[in-house]
Amino acid sequence: GSMLGGSFANAADSAIDNILSTGELKVCFEAGYIPFEMKTKDGRFIGFDIDISKHMARSMGVKFVPVNTAWDGIIPALQTGKCDIINGGMAITPERNLKVMFADTYLEMGQTVLVTPEVAAQIDSFRDLNDPKFRLVSQIGTTGAMAAKKYFPNAQLDLFETSADSVLQVKNGKADAFVYDLPYNAMYAVQNKDSVVHLDEAFTYEPLGWAIRQNDVNFINFLNNYLVMIKKDGTYDRIYDKWFNS
Ligand code: ARG
């Protein structure tokens, strides 16, 4: 702030100032989103977003500080300063974009469904899931939950706090279909071949972006130029191949 006080005095404040003065880039994400952010048995965080975040922090000359946060509280955590940025597989949606600034898209994907083998044998397309006889599941506050309501308004829908709890319902045969992001579903299906079937036709378009607090043009400018740089210099592809093609 300045001696003038009031809100205009802080107009030039950027998260960058705090990152550099504390020597820490605090990054919000919700671990449990394969292969973007996972927690290992010994409590470390790993994944695509985690590697990018670590590299981002190094490029600013500061330390990466992970802030693992419940998904449905992740935007409030950013807004109240618990972290400087959300790098957690967040889709850029109009609703979210009214609350936060997004850097340019770093990855594109869409929604798909995982179904039980019994359901897979009964339906021809994901569209057939829009029927009151089917029980769908997804994670609270995700684009999967939004897509389930929009594309399958006639089906039953139950939402869970984590993706793991949601998908387990389908794996255990307690629900018919899990609506979620394609990369997660593709990897889960490979690891659970006998219990789920992946209908891998994406029926939404979702650009993922890093979110920061509003009115921070300095940080957005940094992030967009940083993204161009890592896409051109091989860093992005190296990290992508490590998590998506192995
Ligand atoms: N991409 C989806 C969304 O933006 C789900 C992201 C969930 N991410 C996570 N770290 N659990 O809503």
Side-chain angles (χ1 to χ4, degrees), residues 28-34 36-37 49 68-71 74 86-93 96 102 109 111 138-146 161-163 180-181 184 206-208:
C28 273
F29 56 84
E30 190 242 353
Y33 178 58
I34 311 162
F36 294 84
E37 33 265 327
D49 289 334
N68 190 17
T69 308
W71 184 255
I74 204 161
I86 299 170
N87 184 4
M90 181 170 276
I92 302 171
T93 67
R96 289 171 179 163
F102 283 103
M109 62 166 68
Q111 294 299 308
S138 191
Q139 183 184 11
I140 297 172
T142 62
T143 49
M146 294 176 223
E161 182 76 27
T162 66
S163 52
Y180 212 55
D181 300 10
Y184 183 101
E206 299 190 8
L208 302 188

Side-chain angles (χ1 to χ4, degrees), residues 157-168:
L157 176 63
D158 284 310
L159 301 176
F160 294 82
E161 182 76 27
T162 66
S163 52
D165 286 343
S166 321
V167 73
L168 197 59

Side-chain angles (χ1 to χ4, degrees), residues 38-76:
M38 292 89 76
K39 193 175 183 173
T40 63
K41 287 197 180 66
D42 56 335
R44 289 174 306 116
F45 297 109
I46 59 166
F48 176 82
D49 289 334
I50 303 294
D51 279 353
I52 297 277
S53 292
K54 285 180 177 170
H55 185 275
M56 186 188 289
R58 270 202 305 281
S59 77
M60 302 178 92
V62 299
K63 200 173 143 238
F64 162 69
V65 176
V67 184
N68 190 17
T69 308
W71 184 255
D72 65 350
I74 204 161
I75 287 182

